[in-house]
Coordinates of all heavy atoms in Angstrom, one line a residue:
M2 N -1.8 162.8 77.5 CA -1.7 164.1 76.8 C -2.3 164.0 75.4 O -2.0 162.9 74.7 CB -0.2 164.5 76.6 CG 0.0 165.8 76.0 SD 1.8 166.4 76.1 CE 2.2 166.3 74.4
Y3 N -3.0 165.0 75.0 CA -3.6 164.9 73.7 C -2.7 165.3 72.6 O -2.1 166.3 72.7 CB -5.0 165.9 73.7 CG -5.6 165.9 72.3 CD1 -6.3 164.9 71.8 CD2 -5.4 167.1 71.7 CE1 -6.8 165.1 70.5 CE2 -6.0 167.2 70.4 CZ -6.8 166.2 69.9 OH -7.4 166.4 68.6
R4 N -2.6 164.5 71.6 CA -1.8 164.9 70.5 C -2.6 165.1 69.2 O -3.4 164.1 68.9 CB -0.6 164.0 70.2 CG 0.4 164.0 71.3 CD 1.5 163.0 71.2 NE 2.1 163.1 69.8 CZ 3.1 162.3 69.5 NH1 3.5 161.4 70.2 NH2 3.6 162.6 68.3
R5 N -2.6 166.1 68.5 CA -3.4 166.3 67.3 C -2.9 165.4 66.2 O -1.6 165.5 66.0 CB -3.3 167.8 66.9 CG -4.2 168.0 65.6 CD -4.3 169.5 65.4 NE -5.2 169.6 64.2 CZ -5.1 170.6 63.5 NH1 -4.4 171.7 63.8 NH2 -5.9 170.8 62.4
R6 N -3.7 164.7 65.5 CA -3.3 163.9 64.5 C -3.2 164.8 63.2 O -4.1 165.6 63.0 CB -4.3 162.7 64.2 CG -4.2 161.7 65.4 CD -5.3 160.7 65.3 NE -5.0 159.8 64.1 CZ -5.7 158.9 63.8 NH1 -6.9 158.6 64.3 NH2 -5.3 158.2 62.7
P7 N -2.3 164.6 62.4 CA -2.3 165.3 61.2 C -3.4 165.0 60.1 O -3.8 163.9 60.0 CB -0.9 165.1 60.5 CG -0.5 163.8 61.2 CD -1.1 163.7 62.5
G8 N -3.9 166.1 59.5 CA -5.0 165.9 58.6 C -4.5 165.4 57.3 O -3.2 165.1 57.1
P9 N -5.3 165.1 56.3 CA -4.9 164.6 55.0 C -3.9 165.8 54.3 O -4.1 166.9 54.6 CB -6.2 164.4 54.3 CG -7.2 165.2 54.9 CD -6.7 165.3 56.4
T10 N -3.0 165.3 53.7 CA -2.1 166.1 53.0 C -2.7 166.5 51.5 O -3.0 165.5 50.8 CB -0.7 165.6 52.8 OG1 -0.2 165.3 54.1 CG2 0.2 166.5 52.0
V11 N -2.7 167.7 51.2 CA -3.3 168.1 49.8 C -2.1 168.6 49.0 O -1.4 169.6 49.6 CB -4.4 169.2 49.9 CG1 -4.9 169.6 48.6 CG2 -5.6 168.6 50.7
T12 N -1.8 168.0 48.0 CA -0.7 168.5 47.2 C -1.3 169.2 45.9 O -2.0 168.5 45.2 CB 0.1 167.2 46.6 OG1 0.6 166.5 47.8 CG2 1.4 167.6 46.0
A13 N -0.8 170.3 45.8 CA -1.3 171.2 44.6 C -0.6 170.7 43.4 O 0.6 170.4 43.4 CB -1.1 172.6 44.9
M14 N -1.2 170.9 42.3 CA -0.7 170.6 41.0 C 0.4 171.6 40.7 O 0.0 172.8 40.9 CB -1.7 170.4 40.0 CG -1.2 170.0 38.5 SD -0.6 168.4 38.4 CE -2.2 167.5 38.2
P15 N 1.6 171.4 40.2 CA 2.6 172.4 39.9 C 1.9 173.4 38.7 O 1.2 172.9 38.0 CB 3.8 171.7 39.4 CG 3.7 170.3 39.9 CD 2.1 170.1 40.1
R16 N 2.3 174.7 38.9 CA 1.9 175.6 37.9 C 3.1 176.0 37.1 O 4.1 176.2 37.6 CB 1.2 176.8 38.7 CG 0.4 177.8 37.7 CD -0.4 178.7 38.5 NE -1.5 178.0 38.9 CZ -2.5 178.7 39.6 NH1 -2.5 179.9 39.7 NH2 -3.5 177.8 40.0
Y17 N 2.8 176.4 35.8 CA 3.9 176.8 34.9 C 3.4 177.9 33.9 O 2.2 177.9 33.6 CB 4.2 175.5 33.9 CG 4.8 174.4 34.7 CD1 4.0 173.3 35.0 CD2 6.2 174.3 35.0 CE1 4.4 172.2 35.7 CE2 6.6 173.2 35.8 CZ 5.8 172.2 36.1 OH 6.2 171.1 36.8
L18 N 4.3 178.8 33.6 CA 4.1 179.8 32.6 C 4.9 179.3 31.3 O 6.0 179.1 31.4 CB 4.7 181.1 33.1 CG 4.6 182.3 32.1 CD1 3.1 182.7 31.9 CD2 5.5 183.4 32.6
V19 N 4.1 179.3 30.2 CA 4.5 178.7 28.9 C 4.7 179.9 28.1 O 3.6 180.5 27.8 CB 3.7 177.6 28.3 CG1 4.2 177.2 27.0 CG2 3.6 176.5 29.3
E20 N 5.8 180.1 27.4 CA 6.0 181.2 26.5 C 6.0 180.6 25.1 O 6.6 179.6 24.8 CB 7.3 181.9 26.7 CG 7.2 182.6 28.1 CD 8.6 183.4 28.3 OE1 8.8 184.4 27.5 OE2 9.3 183.1 29.2
R21 N 5.2 181.2 24.2 CA 5.0 180.8 22.8 C 5.3 182.1 21.8 O 4.8 183.0 22.0 CB 3.7 180.2 22.4 CG 3.2 179.2 23.5 CD 1.9 178.7 23.1 NE 1.3 177.8 24.0 CZ 1.5 176.8 24.4 NH1 2.4 176.1 23.7 NH2 0.9 175.9 25.3
A22 N 6.0 181.8 20.8 CA 6.4 182.9 19.8 C 5.9 182.4 18.5 O 6.0 181.3 18.0 CB 7.9 183.2 19.7
F23 N 5.2 183.5 17.8 CA 4.7 183.2 16.4 C 5.2 184.3 15.6 O 4.8 185.5 15.7 CB 3.1 183.3 16.5 CG 2.5 182.2 17.4 CD1 2.3 182.4 18.6 CD2 2.1 181.0 16.8 CE1 1.7 181.4 19.4 CE2 1.5 180.1 17.6 CZ 1.3 180.3 19.0
S24 N 6.2 184.0 14.8 CA 6.9 185.1 13.9 C 6.0 185.7 13.0 O 6.1 187.0 12.8 CB 8.0 184.4 13.0 OG 7.4 183.3 12.2
G25 N 4.9 185.1 12.5 CA 4.0 185.7 11.6 C 2.7 186.2 12.4 O 1.8 186.6 11.7
G26 N 2.7 186.1 13.6 CA 1.5 186.5 14.4 C 0.6 185.2 14.7 O 0.5 184.4 13.8
W27 N 0.0 185.3 15.7 CA -1.0 184.1 16.2 C -2.3 184.4 15.6 O -2.9 185.4 15.7 CB -1.1 184.1 17.6 CG -1.9 182.9 18.1 CD1 -1.7 181.7 18.0 CD2 -3.1 183.1 18.9 NE1 -2.6 180.8 18.7 CE2 -3.5 181.7 19.2 CE3 -3.8 184.2 19.4 CZ2 -4.7 181.5 19.9 CZ3 -5.0 183.9 20.1 CH2 -5.4 182.6 20.3
D28 N -2.7 183.6 14.6 CA -4.0 183.6 13.9 C -4.6 182.2 13.9 O -4.3 181.4 13.2 CB -3.8 184.2 12.5 CG -5.2 184.3 11.7 OD1 -6.2 184.5 12.5 OD2 -5.1 184.3 10.6
V29 N -5.6 182.0 14.9 CA -6.2 180.6 15.0 C -7.6 180.7 14.2 O -8.2 179.7 14.1 CB -6.4 180.2 16.3 CG1 -5.0 180.0 16.9 CG2 -7.3 181.2 17.1
G30 N -8.0 181.9 13.6 CA -9.4 181.9 13.0 C -10.5 182.0 14.1 O -10.4 183.0 14.8
D31 N -11.1 180.9 14.3 CA -12.3 180.9 15.2 C -11.7 180.6 16.7 O -11.4 179.5 16.8 CB -13.3 179.9 14.8 CG -14.5 179.8 15.7 OD1 -14.6 180.4 16.8 OD2 -15.4 179.0 15.4
V32 N -11.7 181.6 17.5 CA -11.0 181.4 18.8 C -11.8 180.5 19.7 O -11.3 179.8 20.4 CB -10.7 182.8 19.4 CG1 -10.3 182.7 20.9 CG2 -9.9 183.7 18.7
E33 N -13.2 180.7 19.6 CA -13.9 179.7 20.4 C -13.7 178.3 20.1 O -13.5 177.4 20.9 CB -15.4 180.0 20.1 CG -16.4 179.2 21.1 CD -17.9 179.5 21.0 OE1 -18.0 180.6 20.4 OE2 -18.6 178.7 21.4
E34 N -13.6 177.9 18.8 CA -13.4 176.6 18.3 C -11.9 176.2 18.8 O -11.7 175.0 19.1 CB -13.6 176.4 16.8 CG -13.2 175.1 16.3 CD -14.1 173.9 16.9 OE1 -15.3 174.2 17.3 OE2 -13.6 172.9 17.0
F35 N -10.9 177.0 18.6 CA -9.7 176.7 19.0 C -9.6 176.3 20.5 O -8.9 175.3 20.9 CB -8.7 177.9 18.8 CG -7.4 177.8 19.5 CD1 -6.3 177.0 18.9 CD2 -7.1 178.4 20.5 CE1 -5.1 176.9 19.5 CE2 -5.9 178.3 21.2 CZ -4.8 177.6 20.7
C36 N -10.2 177.1 21.3 CA -10.2 176.9 22.9 C -11.0 175.6 23.1 O -10.5 174.7 23.8 CB -11.0 177.9 23.5 SG -10.0 179.6 23.5
R37 N -12.1 175.3 22.6 CA -12.9 174.1 22.7 C -11.9 172.8 22.3 O -11.7 171.8 23.0 CB -14.1 174.2 22.0 CG -15.2 173.1 22.5 CD -16.5 173.4 21.8 NE -17.1 174.5 22.4 CZ -17.8 175.4 21.7 NH1 -17.9 175.4 20.4 NH2 -18.4 176.4 22.3
R38 N -11.4 172.9 21.2 CA -10.5 171.8 20.7 C -9.3 171.6 21.6 O -9.0 170.4 21.9 CB -10.1 172.1 19.2 CG -9.4 170.9 18.5 CD -9.1 171.3 17.0 NE -8.1 172.5 16.9 CZ -8.6 173.5 16.5 NH1 -9.7 173.7 15.8 NH2 -7.6 174.6 16.3
T39 N -8.7 172.7 22.0 CA -7.3 172.6 22.9 C -7.9 171.9 24.1 O -7.1 171.2 24.8 CB -6.9 173.9 23.0 OG1 -6.4 174.5 21.8 CG2 -5.7 173.8 23.9
L40 N -8.9 172.3 24.8 CA -9.4 171.8 26.1 C -9.7 170.3 25.9 O -9.4 169.5 26.8 CB -10.6 172.5 26.6 CG -10.4 173.9 27.1 CD1 -11.6 174.7 27.5 CD2 -9.4 174.0 28.3
E41 N -10.4 169.9 24.9 CA -10.7 168.6 24.6 C -9.3 167.6 24.6 O -9.3 166.6 25.1 CB -11.4 168.4 23.3 CG -12.8 168.5 23.4 CD -13.7 168.3 22.1 OE1 -13.0 167.7 21.1 OE2 -14.7 168.8 22.0
R42 N -8.4 168.1 23.8 CA -7.1 167.4 23.7 C -6.4 167.4 25.0 O -5.7 166.4 25.2 CB -6.3 168.1 22.6 CG -6.9 167.9 21.2 CD -6.0 168.4 20.2 NE -6.6 168.3 18.8 CZ -6.4 169.1 17.9 NH1 -5.6 170.1 18.0 NH2 -7.0 169.0 16.7
N43 N -6.5 168.4 25.7 CA -5.8 168.4 27.1 C -6.3 167.4 28.0 O -5.6 167.0 28.9 CB -5.8 169.9 27.7 CG -4.9 170.8 27.1 OD1 -4.1 170.4 26.2 ND2 -5.0 172.0 27.4
L44 N -7.6 167.0 27.8 CA -8.2 165.9 28.6 C -7.3 164.6 28.4 O -7.4 163.8 29.4 CB -9.7 165.7 28.2 CG -10.6 166.7 28.6 CD1 -12.0 166.4 28.0 CD2 -10.7 167.0 30.1
E45 N -6.7 164.4 27.4 CA -5.8 163.2 27.2 C -4.6 163.2 28.1 O -4.1 162.0 28.3 CB -5.3 163.1 25.7 CG -6.4 163.0 24.7 CD -6.0 163.2 23.3 OE1 -4.7 162.8 23.1 OE2 -6.8 163.5 22.5
G46 N -4.2 164.3 28.7 CA -3.1 164.3 29.6 C -3.6 164.7 30.9 O -4.8 165.0 31.2
E47 N -2.7 165.1 31.7 CA -3.1 165.8 33.1 C -2.8 167.3 33.1 O -2.3 167.9 34.1 CB -2.3 165.1 34.2 CG -2.5 163.6 34.4 CD -1.8 163.0 35.6 OE1 -1.7 163.6 36.5 OE2 -1.2 161.9 35.2
V48 N -3.0 167.9 31.9 CA -2.8 169.3 31.8 C -4.0 170.1 31.8 O -4.9 169.9 31.1 CB -1.9 169.5 30.5 CG1 -1.8 170.9 30.2 CG2 -0.5 168.7 30.4
T49 N -3.9 171.1 32.6 CA -5.1 172.2 32.7 C -4.7 173.5 32.2 O -3.8 174.0 32.8 CB -5.6 172.2 34.2 OG1 -6.1 170.8 34.5 CG2 -6.8 173.1 34.1
W50 N -5.3 174.0 31.2 CA -4.9 175.3 30.7 C -5.7 176.3 31.5 O -7.0 176.2 31.5 CB -5.1 175.4 29.2 CG -5.2 176.7 28.5 CD1 -4.4 177.7 28.9 CD2 -5.8 177.1 27.3 NE1 -4.5 178.8 28.0 CE2 -5.4 178.5 27.2 CE3 -6.8 176.5 26.6 CZ2 -6.0 179.1 26.0 CZ3 -7.3 177.2 25.5 CH2 -6.9 178.6 25.2
L51 N -5.2 177.2 32.2 CA -5.8 178.1 33.1 C -6.2 179.4 32.4 O -7.3 179.9 32.5 CB -5.0 178.5 34.4 CG -4.6 177.3 35.2 CD1 -3.8 177.7 36.4 CD2 -5.9 176.6 35.7
H52 N -5.3 180.0 31.7 CA -5.6 181.3 31.0 C -4.3 181.7 30.2 O -3.2 181.1 30.5 CB -6.1 182.4 31.9 CG -5.1 182.9 32.8 ND1 -5.2 182.3 34.1 CD2 -4.2 183.8 32.8 CE1 -4.2 182.9 34.8 NE2 -3.6 183.8 34.1
S53 N -4.4 182.7 29.3 CA -3.3 183.0 28.5 C -3.4 184.5 28.2 O -4.4 185.2 28.4 CB -3.4 182.4 27.0 OG -3.2 180.9 27.2
Y54 N -2.3 185.1 27.9 CA -2.2 186.6 27.5 C -1.6 186.6 26.2 O -0.6 185.9 25.9 CB -1.3 187.3 28.6 CG -1.6 187.3 30.0 CD1 -1.2 186.3 30.9 CD2 -2.5 188.1 30.4 CE1 -1.6 186.2 32.2 CE2 -3.0 188.1 31.8 CZ -2.6 187.2 32.7 OH -3.0 187.0 33.9
V55 N -2.2 187.5 25.3 CA -1.7 187.6 23.9 C -1.1 189.0 23.8 O -1.8 190.0 24.3 CB -2.9 187.4 23.0 CG1 -2.3 187.6 21.6 CG2 -3.6 186.1 23.2
S56 N 0.1 189.1 23.3 CA 0.7 190.4 23.1 C -0.1 191.2 22.0 O -0.9 190.6 21.2 CB 2.1 190.4 22.7 OG 2.2 189.7 21.4
D57 N 0.0 192.6 22.1 CA -0.8 193.3 21.2 C -0.4 193.1 19.7 O -1.4 193.2 18.9 CB -0.5 194.8 21.5 CG -1.2 195.3 22.8 OD1 -2.1 194.7 23.2 OD2 -0.7 196.4 23.2
D58 N 0.7 192.7 19.4 CA 1.1 192.5 18.0 C 0.8 190.9 17.7 O 1.1 190.5 16.6 CB 2.6 192.7 17.8 CG 3.5 191.9 18.6 OD1 3.2 191.0 19.4 OD2 4.8 192.1 18.4
R59 N 0.3 190.2 18.7 CA -0.2 188.8 18.4 C 1.0 187.9 18.1 O 0.8 186.8 17.7 CB -1.2 188.6 17.4 CG -2.5 189.4 17.8 CD -3.5 189.4 16.8 NE -4.2 188.0 16.8 CZ -5.2 187.7 17.4 NH1 -5.7 188.4 18.3 NH2 -5.7 186.5 17.2
R60 N 2.3 188.3 18.4 CA 3.5 187.4 18.2 C 3.8 186.6 19.3 O 4.7 185.6 19.2 CB 4.7 188.2 17.6 CG 4.4 188.9 16.3 CD 5.6 189.8 16.0 NE 5.3 190.5 14.7 CZ 5.6 190.0 13.4 NH1 6.2 188.8 13.3 NH2 5.2 190.7 12.4
R61 N 3.3 186.8 20.5 CA 3.7 186.2 21.7 C 2.5 185.8 22.5 O 1.6 186.6 22.7 CB 4.6 186.9 22.6 CG 5.9 187.1 22.0 CD 7.0 187.8 22.8 NE 7.4 187.0 23.9 CZ 8.1 185.9 24.0 NH1 8.5 185.4 23.0 NH2 8.3 185.4 25.2
L62 N 2.5 184.6 23.1 CA 1.5 184.0 24.0 C 2.2 183.6 25.2 O 3.2 183.0 25.3 CB 0.7 182.9 23.4 CG -0.7 183.1 22.8 CD1 -0.5 183.8 21.4 CD2 -1.4 181.7 22.6
L63 N 1.5 184.1 26.4 CA 2.1 183.7 27.6 C 0.9 183.0 28.3 O -0.2 183.5 28.6 CB 2.4 184.8 28.5 CG 3.6 185.8 27.9 CD1 3.6 187.1 28.7 CD2 4.9 185.0 28.0
C64 N 1.1 181.6 28.5 CA 0.0 180.8 28.9 C 0.3 180.1 30.3 O 1.4 179.7 30.6 CB -0.3 179.6 27.9 SG -0.4 180.2 26.2
V65 N -0.7 180.1 31.2 CA -0.5 179.5 32.4 C -1.3 178.2 32.6 O -2.4 178.0 32.1 CB -1.1 180.5 33.5 CG1 -1.0 179.9 34.9 CG2 -0.5 181.8 33.5
Y66 N -0.4 177.2 32.9 CA -1.0 175.8 33.0 C -0.8 175.1 34.4 O 0.2 175.6 35.1 CB -0.2 174.9 32.1 CG -0.6 175.2 30.6 CD1 0.1 176.1 29.8 CD2 -1.6 174.3 30.0 CE1 -0.3 176.3 28.5 CE2 -1.9 174.5 28.7 CZ -1.2 175.5 28.0 OH -1.6 175.6 26.7
E67 N -1.5 174.2 34.7 CA -1.3 173.1 35.8 C -0.9 172.0 35.2 O -1.9 171.5 34.3 CB -2.4 173.3 36.8 CG -2.5 174.5 37.7 CD -3.6 174.5 38.7 OE1 -4.5 173.5 38.6 OE2 -3.6 175.3 39.6
A68 N 0.1 171.3 35.7 CA 0.5 170.1 35.0 C 1.4 169.4 36.0 O 2.2 170.0 36.8 CB 1.1 170.2 33.6
P69 N 1.6 168.1 35.8 CA 2.5 167.3 36.7 C 4.0 167.6 36.4 O 4.8 167.6 37.3 CB 2.2 165.9 36.5 CG 1.4 165.7 35.3 CD 0.8 167.1 35.0
T70 N 4.4 167.8 35.1 CA 5.7 168.0 34.7 C 5.8 169.0 33.5 O 4.7 169.0 32.8 CB 6.3 166.8 34.3 OG1 5.8 166.2 33.3 CG2 6.4 165.8 35.5
P71 N 6.8 169.6 33.1 CA 7.0 170.3 32.0 C 6.9 169.4 30.7 O 6.4 169.7 29.7 CB 8.4 170.8 32.1 CG 8.7 171.0 33.5 CD 8.0 169.8 34.1
E72 N 7.3 168.1 30.9 CA 7.1 167.1 29.8 C 5.7 167.0 29.3 O 5.3 166.8 28.2 CB 7.8 165.8 30.2 CG 9.3 165.9 30.2 CD 9.8 166.7 31.5 OE1 9.1 166.5 32.5 OE2 10.9 167.2 31.3
A73 N 4.8 166.9 30.3 CA 3.4 166.8 30.1 C 2.8 168.0 29.3 O 1.9 167.8 28.4 CB 2.5 166.7 31.4
I74 N 3.3 169.2 29.6 CA 2.9 170.4 28.9 C 3.4 170.2 27.4 O 2.7 170.7 26.4 CB 3.4 171.7 29.5 CG1 2.7 171.8 30.8 CG2 3.3 172.9 28.6 CD1 3.3 172.9 31.6
R75 N 4.7 169.8 27.3 CA 5.3 169.6 25.8 C 4.4 168.7 25.1 O 4.2 168.8 23.9 CB 6.7 169.2 25.9 CG 7.6 170.3 26.3 CD 9.1 169.9 26.3 NE 9.9 170.9 26.8 CZ 10.3 171.1 28.0 NH1 9.9 170.2 29.0 NH2 11.1 172.1 28.4
R76 N 4.1 167.5 25.7 CA 3.2 166.6 25.0 C 1.8 167.2 24.6 O 1.4 166.9 23.4 CB 2.9 165.3 25.9 CG 4.2 164.4 25.9 CD 3.8 163.0 26.6 NE 3.4 163.2 28.0 CZ 4.1 163.3 29.0 NH1 5.3 163.2 29.0 NH2 3.5 163.3 30.3
S77 N 1.3 167.9 25.4 CA -0.1 168.6 25.3 C 0.2 169.6 23.9 O -0.7 169.7 23.1 CB -0.5 169.3 26.4 OG -1.6 170.0 26.1
A78 N 1.2 170.3 24.0 CA 1.5 171.3 23.0 C 1.7 170.5 21.6 O 1.1 171.0 20.6 CB 2.8 172.1 23.3
A79 N 2.3 169.5 21.6 CA 2.6 168.7 20.3 C 1.1 168.3 19.9 O 0.8 168.3 18.7 CB 3.4 167.5 20.7
R80 N 0.2 167.8 20.8 CA -1.1 167.3 20.3 C -1.9 168.4 19.7 O -2.7 168.3 18.9 CB -1.9 166.8 21.5 CG -1.5 165.3 21.8 CD -2.5 164.8 22.8 NE -2.7 165.5 24.1 CZ -2.0 165.2 25.1 NH1 -0.9 164.3 25.2 NH2 -2.2 166.0 26.3
N81 N -1.7 169.7 20.3 CA -2.3 170.9 19.9 C -1.6 171.7 18.8 O -2.1 172.8 18.4 CB -2.8 171.8 21.0 CG -3.8 171.2 21.9 OD1 -4.9 171.0 21.5 ND2 -3.4 170.8 23.1
D82 N -0.5 171.1 18.2 CA 0.3 171.8 17.2 C 0.7 173.2 17.6 O 0.5 174.1 16.8 CB -0.5 171.8 15.9 CG 0.4 172.0 14.7 OD1 1.8 171.7 14.8 OD2 0.0 172.8 13.7
L83 N 1.1 173.4 18.9 CA 1.5 174.6 19.4 C 3.0 174.7 19.7 O 3.6 173.7 20.3 CB 0.8 175.0 20.7 CG -0.7 175.3 20.4 CD1 -1.3 175.3 21.8 CD2 -0.9 176.7 19.7
P84 N 3.8 175.8 19.6 CA 5.2 175.9 19.8 C 5.3 176.1 21.4 O 4.4 176.5 22.0 CB 5.6 177.1 19.1 CG 4.4 178.0 18.9 CD 3.3 177.1 18.8
V85 N 6.5 175.6 21.9 CA 6.7 175.9 23.3 C 8.2 176.6 23.2 O 9.2 175.8 22.8 CB 6.9 174.6 24.1 CG1 7.5 174.9 25.5 CG2 5.3 174.1 24.2
D86 N 8.3 177.7 23.5 CA 9.7 178.3 23.6 C 10.3 178.3 24.9 O 11.6 178.0 25.1 CB 9.6 179.9 23.1 CG 9.3 180.0 21.8 OD1 10.0 179.5 20.9 OD2 8.1 180.5 21.4
S87 N 9.5 178.3 26.1 CA 10.0 178.0 27.4 C 9.0 177.7 28.3 O 7.9 178.1 28.1 CB 10.8 179.4 27.9 OG 9.9 180.3 28.3
I88 N 9.4 177.0 29.4 CA 8.4 176.7 30.4 C 9.1 177.0 31.7 O 10.1 176.6 32.0 CB 8.1 175.2 30.3 CG1 7.4 174.7 29.0 CG2 7.3 174.7 31.6 CD1 7.1 173.3 28.9
T89 N 8.4 177.8 32.6 CA 9.0 178.2 33.9 C 8.0 177.9 35.0 O 6.8 178.1 34.8 CB 9.1 179.8 33.8 OG1 10.0 180.1 32.8 CG2 9.8 180.3 35.2
S90 N 8.5 177.1 35.9 CA 7.7 176.9 37.2 C 7.4 178.1 37.9 O 8.4 178.9 38.1 CB 8.4 175.9 38.1 OG 7.7 175.5 39.1
V91 N 6.1 178.4 38.2 CA 5.7 179.6 38.9 C 4.7 179.2 40.2 O 4.2 178.2 40.2 CB 5.0 180.6 37.9 CG1 6.1 181.1 36.9 CG2 3.8 180.0 37.4
R92 N 4.7 180.3 40.9 CA 3.8 180.2 42.1 C 3.0 181.5 42.0 O 3.4 182.7 41.6 CB 4.5 180.1 43.5 CG 5.0 178.9 43.7 CD 5.6 178.6 45.1 NE 7.0 178.8 44.9 CZ 7.8 179.0 46.0 NH1 7.2 179.3 47.1 NH2 9.2 179.1 45.8
V93 N 1.7 181.5 42.6 CA 0.9 182.7 42.6 C 1.3 183.6 43.8 O 1.4 183.2 44.9 CB -0.6 182.3 42.7 CG1 -1.5 183.6 42.9 CG2 -1.1 181.5 41.5
L94 N 1.4 184.9 43.5 CA 1.6 185.9 44.5 C 0.4 186.9 44.4 O 0.2 187.5 43.4 CB 3.0 186.7 44.3 CG 3.1 187.9 45.2 CD1 3.1 187.5 46.7 CD2 4.3 188.6 44.8
D95 N -0.6 186.8 45.3 CA -1.8 187.5 45.2 C -1.6 188.7 46.2 O -1.7 188.4 47.5 CB -3.0 186.7 45.5 CG -4.4 187.5 45.5 OD1 -4.3 188.6 45.2 OD2 -5.3 186.9 45.6
P96 N -1.4 189.9 45.8 CA -1.1 191.1 46.8 C -2.4 191.2 47.6 O -2.3 191.9 48.7 CB -0.8 192.2 45.9 CG -1.3 191.9 44.7 CD -1.4 190.4 44.4
Y97 N -3.6 191.0 47.1 CA -4.7 191.2 47.9 C -5.0 190.2 49.1 O -5.9 190.2 49.8 CB -6.1 191.3 47.0 CG -5.9 192.4 46.1 CD1 -5.4 192.2 44.7 CD2 -6.2 193.7 46.4 CE1 -5.3 193.3 43.8 CE2 -6.1 194.7 45.6 CZ -5.6 194.5 44.3 OH -5.4 195.6 43.4
H98 N -4.2 189.1 49.1 CA -4.2 188.2 50.2 C -3.8 188.8 51.6 O -4.1 188.3 52.6 CB -3.4 187.0 49.9 CG -3.2 186.0 50.9 ND1 -4.2 185.0 51.2 CD2 -2.3 185.7 51.8 CE1 -3.8 184.3 52.2 NE2 -2.7 184.6 52.6
F99 N -3.0 189.9 51.4 CA -2.3 190.4 52.7 C -3.2 191.7 53.2 O -3.7 192.5 52.2 CB -0.8 190.9 52.4 CG -0.1 189.7 51.8 CD1 0.2 189.6 50.5 CD2 0.4 188.8 52.8 CE1 0.9 188.6 50.1 CE2 1.2 187.8 52.3 CZ 1.5 187.6 50.9
A100 N -3.4 191.9 54.3 CA -4.2 193.0 54.9 C -3.2 194.2 54.6 O -2.1 194.2 54.8 CB -4.6 192.8 56.3
L101 N -4.0 195.4 54.4 CA -3.3 196.7 54.3 C -3.1 197.3 55.7 O -4.0 197.2 56.5 CB -4.1 197.6 53.4 CG -4.2 197.2 51.9 CD1 -5.0 198.1 51.2 CD2 -2.7 197.0 51.3

């Protein structure tokens, strides 16, 4: 009898939503330079910044990361001099994945 051998296991990096609060509003000056510098510093760890949302009043950032642990995100935030108010483990729910 033929038995199918299991293929290689692919383990996805955990994804997290990081909330940041800025009482005086988020003002980084040159956004392009900020992004470039942050991405460079994140290379030192296993943290990948995917994207962020900025509230209209610029007092809150919601950032999506892939990282092995919340502690890795905290270390990255410290290197980038960014606050961390909360870290929540999340999964993607894509409504367009399902047929109508």
